[in-house]
Each structure stands twice: as C-alpha cells, then as structure tokens.
C-alpha cells in the first residue's frame, strides 16, 4: 500500500456564508490548509498516521480562530478547560485528557498519556502535573485568551446558559470557531484519529463532552476506520458515534459512506444532535458528513488535490 489519506476539521455548526466576511473566510481556510499540509507532508514522507494527526491537530490548536489550545472558549469561571484524545488504529492504544489548563497542546498530552502513563484517561490538575513531569510545553493563562472568545463568554457569564461555540442565536453568531480534529491512513495501512477542544462557552461543574471519550468523539481501528467528531457533545456521547460507525462497518459490512450517513444523518438527527465528523476507512476512502449548516473541513489523498470547504 503506497497511498495515504488525511482529513481534518475545525468544528461544525451554524456556519453560514451570510455570517462570514471574505477576510475571515480566507483566514479559516489558511488555518485549515496549514494543518492539512503539515499532516500530509509527514504521510508523504512515509511517516506514521499517529505523527500526522498529532501534527495537524497541534497546528489547529495553535491557530487562534479554532476552539482548541490557543483560542479555546471560556468556562463560567473565566478559565480554559480543554479536552483531547488520540487513538492508534494499529494497536488500539489510546490516550485522553479532560479539564486541563496551561498545556499548550492538549493533543500531545493525550499522546504522552497513551505512551507513558499506563492509563488511558487522565483529568484535571493531576493530568497537568503529569504533563509537566513529562516536559510538555506550558503556557500561562494569557496565552489562551482571545478577545472574541472573551466577548462570546461575556454574553453568557451571568446566566446559567452554556453554548456550543457555533450555535445560532448568539449576537456573535458570525464567530463560529470549533473543536478540531484529524484522521489519517499512512502508507503502512495504519489508521489514527485525534480530537481537541475547549468544549462549550460558559460550561460549569466540570462539564466534559464527547471529544476525549474514546468511542464517542474519537476512535481508530485498522480493521474499520478512523473518526473524529464535532458537535453537541452530549448527543455524541449518548449515540457513541465514532464506535457506532466502526461497528456498522465491522459487523454489518457497510461502506464508510453508508455507515456515516446512518449515524450522522439518521440516528443523530433523531436524537436532536447537531454536528458532523471526519472519517477515513482502511482503504483510504474519506467521508465528511455533517447535519449542521457547515463544517470547517479539509482533506487530501496521495497524488490528489487538496479539498478545503466550509459550507454545505
Ligand atoms: N463536541 C465538542 C463538545 O461537546 C464541541 C464541539 O465539537 O464544538 O465538547
């Protein structure tokens, strides 16, 4: 197998051309393009899908418009509590982290947890301490601050409401930044998936969504597919979205396209769950379904063109 595939996302939601400026659209596309190219370069040189998804997600975390790493949304307390996960489809090893602050790239902490902790899922201050112990890059609170996120939070701070980053009805609906993720198939036939998020604006009580939950927001298995989700986490958790798609392929023999359609366009819609996902199967097919107005997304296959899109 001398072919690779990669897909990335920067969040799904009420993303409409009427709410976007040309400059903003160009910036989003730049962020997506840079991340796609970082991942694709690793794959083209024969690198692993794990390295490719980590590099692509780090690039999206460093880009302030997306709700992950720098630019993560504010909690009700005015902090940033981030979640991330990564999974290796070859070994079925996985690492995940939730509710962490001050780690520059949460996806790298998730991978370090996978490789060095003997566990799968760590949370909060002690997970941060594990990151420090293992030499992860740290940043102070200021690094994660962006003015637009702060304004978005100010709309909600004195209420009990919390909000998906890209939900309509906010005075800041034109600012739809999202969770980020990447999936890849490398030239050795290994699949990998990674996802990273700041979660929901004004979230309280240690709320955690689907992103770091293996099988819900993130999953990879060389026998089936690699998936990274974005959308209203509570629904993605209840629908166990990523693993459900893998199961439809494994046990029912469905194609990636059909499995994704059933879960995103039928099952999630029935539950009321808005969002989408990126998926690659073991032969390199790519599917990018979403039931919302838009999803920041990009993909590429070896020898093919870059695909970058935002709207339906
Ligand atoms: N799924 C994420 C969460 O619920 C949010 C998102 O995708 O924007 O935390």
């Amino acid at each position: 197998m001398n072919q690779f595939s990669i897909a990335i996302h920067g969040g799904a939601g009420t993303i409409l051309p009427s709410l976007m400026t040309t400059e903003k659209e160009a910036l989003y596309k730049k962020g997506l393009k840079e991340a796609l190219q970082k991942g694709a370069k690793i794959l083209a040189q024969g690198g692993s899908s794990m390295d490719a998804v980590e590099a692509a997600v780090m690039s999206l975390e460093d880009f302030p418009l997306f709700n992950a790493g720098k630019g993560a949304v504010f909690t009700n307390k005015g902090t940033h509590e981030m979640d991330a996960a990564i999974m290796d489809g070859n070994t079925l090893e996985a690492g995940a982290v939730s509710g962490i602050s001050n780690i520059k790239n949460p996806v790298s902490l998730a991978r370090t947890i996978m490789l060095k902790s003997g566990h799968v899922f760590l949370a909060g201050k002690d997970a941060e301490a594990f990151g420090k112990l293992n030499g992860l890059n740290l940043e102070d609170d200021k690094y994660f601050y962006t003015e637009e996120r702060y304004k978005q939070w100010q709309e909600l701070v004195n209420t009990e409401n919390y909000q998906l980053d890209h939900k309509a009805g906010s005075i800041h609906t034109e600012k739809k930044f999202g969770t980020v993720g990447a999936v890849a198939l490398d030239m050795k036939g290994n699949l990998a998936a990674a996802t990273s998020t700041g979660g929901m604006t004004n979230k309280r009580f240690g709320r955690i969504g689907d992103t770091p939950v293996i099988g819900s927001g993130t999953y990879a298995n060389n026998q089936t597919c690699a998936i990274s989700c974005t959308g209203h986490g509570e629904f993605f958790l209840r629908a166990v979205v990523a693993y459900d798609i893998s199961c439809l392929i494994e046990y029912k023999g469905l194609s990636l396209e059909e499995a994704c359609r059933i879960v995103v366009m039928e099952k999630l819609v029935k539950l009321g769950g808005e969002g989408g996902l990126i998926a690659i199967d073991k032969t390199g097919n790519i599917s990018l379904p979403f039931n919302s107005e838009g999803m920041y997304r990009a993909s590429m296959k070896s020898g093919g063109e870059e695909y970058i899109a935002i709207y339906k």
Side-chain angles (χ1 to χ4, degrees), residues 182-217:
V183 290
L185 175 73
D186 64 30
M187 293 202 274
K188 294 197 175 96
N190 291 321
L191 285 163
T195 317
S196 179
T197 189
M200 284 172 147
T201 300
N202 209 37
K203 64 183 179 182
R204 299 193 296 165
F205 311 126
R207 181 265 180 193
I208 299 161
D210 59 313
T211 300
V213 179
I214 300 303
S216 280

Short mmCIF file of all heavy atoms in Angstrom, two decimals, residues 182-217:
data_model
loop_
_atom_site.label_atom_id
_atom_site.label_comp_id
_atom_site.label_asym_id
_atom_site.label_seq_id
_atom_site.Cartn_x
_atom_site.Cartn_y
_atom_site.Cartn_z
N ALA A 182 -8.34 15.44 13.48
CA ALA A 182 -7.68 14.90 12.28
C ALA A 182 -7.78 13.38 12.27
O ALA A 182 -7.76 12.74 13.34
CB ALA A 182 -6.21 15.32 12.25
N VAL A 183 -7.91 12.82 11.09
CA VAL A 183 -7.84 11.36 10.91
C VAL A 183 -6.90 11.09 9.73
O VAL A 183 -6.81 11.92 8.81
CB VAL A 183 -9.22 10.73 10.62
CG1 VAL A 183 -10.11 10.78 11.85
CG2 VAL A 183 -9.94 11.41 9.45
N ALA A 184 -6.19 9.97 9.78
CA ALA A 184 -5.25 9.69 8.69
C ALA A 184 -5.03 8.20 8.52
O ALA A 184 -5.16 7.42 9.46
CB ALA A 184 -3.91 10.38 8.97
N LEU A 185 -4.70 7.85 7.27
CA LEU A 185 -4.24 6.49 6.93
C LEU A 185 -2.85 6.66 6.34
O LEU A 185 -2.65 7.43 5.39
CB LEU A 185 -5.17 5.87 5.87
CG LEU A 185 -4.72 4.51 5.33
CD1 LEU A 185 -4.93 3.40 6.36
CD2 LEU A 185 -5.47 4.16 4.04
N ASP A 186 -1.86 5.97 6.93
CA ASP A 186 -0.50 6.12 6.40
C ASP A 186 -0.17 5.03 5.38
O ASP A 186 -0.99 4.14 5.12
CB ASP A 186 0.53 6.20 7.54
CG ASP A 186 0.61 4.93 8.37
OD1 ASP A 186 0.37 3.83 7.83
OD2 ASP A 186 0.92 5.03 9.58
N MET A 187 1.02 5.11 4.80
CA MET A 187 1.36 4.19 3.70
C MET A 187 1.58 2.76 4.17
O MET A 187 1.67 1.84 3.36
CB MET A 187 2.57 4.74 2.94
CG MET A 187 2.22 6.03 2.20
SD MET A 187 3.29 6.43 0.83
CE MET A 187 4.60 7.31 1.61
N LYS A 188 1.67 2.57 5.48
CA LYS A 188 1.76 1.19 6.01
C LYS A 188 0.37 0.61 6.30
O LYS A 188 0.24 -0.51 6.80
CB LYS A 188 2.57 1.18 7.30
CG LYS A 188 4.03 1.55 7.09
CD LYS A 188 4.87 1.12 8.30
CE LYS A 188 6.33 1.37 8.05
NZ LYS A 188 6.76 2.66 8.61
N GLY A 189 -0.67 1.41 6.05
CA GLY A 189 -2.04 0.92 6.29
C GLY A 189 -2.53 1.13 7.70
O GLY A 189 -3.53 0.53 8.12
N ASN A 190 -1.83 1.99 8.46
CA ASN A 190 -2.26 2.26 9.84
C ASN A 190 -3.14 3.50 9.91
O ASN A 190 -2.80 4.56 9.38
CB ASN A 190 -1.05 2.44 10.75
CG ASN A 190 -0.30 1.14 10.95
OD1 ASN A 190 -0.91 0.07 11.08
ND2 ASN A 190 1.02 1.20 10.93
N LEU A 191 -4.24 3.36 10.63
CA LEU A 191 -5.19 4.48 10.82
C LEU A 191 -4.94 5.13 12.18
O LEU A 191 -4.53 4.48 13.13
CB LEU A 191 -6.63 3.96 10.79
CG LEU A 191 -7.19 3.58 9.42
CD1 LEU A 191 -8.44 2.71 9.58
CD2 LEU A 191 -7.53 4.84 8.61
N ALA A 192 -5.25 6.44 12.27
CA ALA A 192 -5.17 7.15 13.57
C ALA A 192 -6.19 8.28 13.58
O ALA A 192 -6.58 8.79 12.52
CB ALA A 192 -3.77 7.71 13.79
N ALA A 193 -6.63 8.63 14.79
CA ALA A 193 -7.57 9.75 14.95
C ALA A 193 -7.18 10.59 16.16
O ALA A 193 -6.68 10.06 17.15
CB ALA A 193 -8.99 9.21 15.16
N ALA A 194 -7.42 11.90 16.07
CA ALA A 194 -7.16 12.79 17.21
C ALA A 194 -8.18 13.93 17.20
O ALA A 194 -8.59 14.38 16.13
CB ALA A 194 -5.75 13.36 17.14
N THR A 195 -8.58 14.38 18.40
CA THR A 195 -9.56 15.46 18.53
C THR A 195 -9.16 16.34 19.73
O THR A 195 -8.62 15.81 20.71
CB THR A 195 -10.98 14.89 18.77
OG1 THR A 195 -11.19 13.78 17.91
CG2 THR A 195 -12.05 15.94 18.51
N SER A 196 -9.44 17.64 19.63
CA SER A 196 -9.07 18.55 20.73
C SER A 196 -10.08 19.69 20.80
O SER A 196 -10.51 20.20 19.77
CB SER A 196 -7.66 19.09 20.46
OG SER A 196 -7.26 20.00 21.46
N THR A 197 -10.46 20.10 22.02
CA THR A 197 -11.49 21.14 22.15
C THR A 197 -11.38 21.93 23.45
O THR A 197 -10.81 21.44 24.43
CB THR A 197 -12.91 20.52 22.09
OG1 THR A 197 -13.88 21.55 21.99
CG2 THR A 197 -13.21 19.69 23.33
N GLY A 198 -11.98 23.13 23.42
CA GLY A 198 -12.19 23.89 24.65
C GLY A 198 -13.57 23.62 25.20
O GLY A 198 -13.94 24.11 26.27
N GLY A 199 -14.38 22.85 24.46
CA GLY A 199 -15.73 22.50 24.92
C GLY A 199 -16.73 23.60 24.65
O GLY A 199 -16.71 24.20 23.58
N MET A 200 -17.59 23.86 25.63
CA MET A 200 -18.68 24.83 25.45
C MET A 200 -18.42 26.10 26.25
O MET A 200 -18.00 26.04 27.41
CB MET A 200 -19.98 24.24 25.98
CG MET A 200 -20.59 23.21 25.04
SD MET A 200 -21.97 22.45 25.88
CE MET A 200 -23.06 22.13 24.51
N THR A 201 -18.74 27.24 25.65
CA THR A 201 -18.61 28.53 26.34
C THR A 201 -19.49 28.55 27.60
O THR A 201 -20.65 28.13 27.55
CB THR A 201 -19.07 29.67 25.41
OG1 THR A 201 -18.24 29.67 24.25
CG2 THR A 201 -18.95 31.03 26.09
N ASN A 202 -18.93 29.04 28.71
CA ASN A 202 -19.65 29.19 29.98
C ASN A 202 -20.00 27.84 30.62
O ASN A 202 -20.87 27.78 31.48
CB ASN A 202 -20.92 30.02 29.77
CG ASN A 202 -21.31 30.78 31.05
OD1 ASN A 202 -20.42 31.24 31.77
ND2 ASN A 202 -22.58 30.88 31.35
N LYS A 203 -19.32 26.79 30.23
CA LYS A 203 -19.60 25.47 30.84
C LYS A 203 -19.26 25.52 32.33
O LYS A 203 -18.36 26.25 32.76
CB LYS A 203 -18.83 24.37 30.11
CG LYS A 203 -17.31 24.46 30.20
CD LYS A 203 -16.63 23.37 29.37
CE LYS A 203 -15.11 23.50 29.45
NZ LYS A 203 -14.40 22.51 28.65
N ARG A 204 -19.96 24.70 33.11
CA ARG A 204 -19.77 24.67 34.56
C ARG A 204 -19.67 23.24 35.08
O ARG A 204 -19.93 22.29 34.35
CB ARG A 204 -20.99 25.33 35.24
CG ARG A 204 -21.20 26.76 34.85
CD ARG A 204 -22.19 27.43 35.78
NE ARG A 204 -23.52 26.84 35.67
CZ ARG A 204 -24.49 27.05 36.56
NH1 ARG A 204 -24.26 27.80 37.63
NH2 ARG A 204 -25.67 26.50 36.39
N PHE A 205 -19.32 23.15 36.34
CA PHE A 205 -19.36 21.87 37.07
C PHE A 205 -18.49 20.78 36.43
O PHE A 205 -18.79 19.60 36.53
CB PHE A 205 -20.81 21.35 37.17
CG PHE A 205 -21.80 22.39 37.66
CD1 PHE A 205 -22.94 22.69 36.92
CD2 PHE A 205 -21.57 23.07 38.84
CE1 PHE A 205 -23.84 23.63 37.37
CE2 PHE A 205 -22.48 24.03 39.30
CZ PHE A 205 -23.62 24.32 38.57
N GLY A 206 -17.42 21.20 35.76
CA GLY A 206 -16.51 20.20 35.17
C GLY A 206 -17.10 19.46 33.98
O GLY A 206 -16.72 18.32 33.71
N ARG A 207 -17.98 20.14 33.26
CA ARG A 207 -18.63 19.51 32.09
C ARG A 207 -17.59 18.98 31.08
O ARG A 207 -16.62 19.66 30.76
CB ARG A 207 -19.53 20.55 31.40
CG ARG A 207 -20.28 20.02 30.18
CD ARG A 207 -19.56 20.31 28.89
NE ARG A 207 -20.30 19.79 27.73
CZ ARG A 207 -19.78 19.69 26.51
NH1 ARG A 207 -18.54 20.04 26.29
NH2 ARG A 207 -20.51 19.22 25.52
N ILE A 208 -17.80 17.79 30.62
CA ILE A 208 -16.94 17.21 29.58
C ILE A 208 -17.83 16.69 28.46
O ILE A 208 -18.87 16.08 28.72
CB ILE A 208 -16.10 16.04 30.16
CG1 ILE A 208 -15.20 16.55 31.29
CG2 ILE A 208 -15.26 15.39 29.07
CD1 ILE A 208 -14.71 15.43 32.18
N GLY A 209 -17.42 16.92 27.22
CA GLY A 209 -18.21 16.46 26.08
C GLY A 209 -17.70 15.14 25.53
O GLY A 209 -17.08 14.34 26.24
N ASP A 210 -17.94 14.93 24.26
CA ASP A 210 -17.57 13.67 23.62
C ASP A 210 -16.10 13.58 23.22
O ASP A 210 -15.56 12.48 23.08
CB ASP A 210 -18.42 13.48 22.35
CG ASP A 210 -18.20 14.63 21.37
OD1 ASP A 210 -18.23 15.81 21.81
OD2 ASP A 210 -17.99 14.37 20.17
N THR A 211 -15.48 14.75 23.02
CA THR A 211 -14.14 14.80 22.41
C THR A 211 -13.14 13.80 23.00
O THR A 211 -12.52 13.03 22.27
CB THR A 211 -13.59 16.24 22.49
OG1 THR A 211 -14.48 17.09 21.77
CG2 THR A 211 -12.19 16.35 21.92
N PRO A 212 -12.96 13.80 24.35
CA PRO A 212 -11.91 12.92 24.90
C PRO A 212 -12.41 11.51 25.19
O PRO A 212 -11.63 10.70 25.70
CB PRO A 212 -11.54 13.63 26.20
CG PRO A 212 -12.82 14.22 26.68
CD PRO A 212 -13.59 14.61 25.43
N VAL A 213 -13.67 11.23 24.92
CA VAL A 213 -14.22 9.92 25.27
C VAL A 213 -14.02 8.96 24.08
O VAL A 213 -14.62 9.13 23.01
CB VAL A 213 -15.71 10.00 25.66
CG1 VAL A 213 -16.27 8.62 25.98
CG2 VAL A 213 -15.86 10.93 26.86
N ILE A 214 -13.13 7.98 24.30
CA ILE A 214 -12.79 7.03 23.24
C ILE A 214 -14.07 6.28 22.84
O ILE A 214 -14.77 5.73 23.68
CB ILE A 214 -11.70 6.05 23.73
CG1 ILE A 214 -10.42 6.80 24.12
CG2 ILE A 214 -11.40 4.98 22.66
CD1 ILE A 214 -9.82 7.67 23.05
N GLY A 215 -14.34 6.28 21.54
CA GLY A 215 -15.56 5.62 21.04
C GLY A 215 -16.69 6.60 20.78
O GLY A 215 -17.57 6.33 19.98
N SER A 216 -16.68 7.74 21.48
CA SER A 216 -17.72 8.75 21.20
C SER A 216 -17.21 9.79 20.23
O SER A 216 -17.65 9.87 19.09
CB SER A 216 -18.18 9.43 22.49
OG SER A 216 -19.10 8.61 23.16
N GLY A 217 -16.24 10.62 20.68
CA GLY A 217 -15.73 11.69 19.82
C GLY A 217 -14.52 11.29 19.00
O GLY A 217 -14.18 11.95 18.02
#
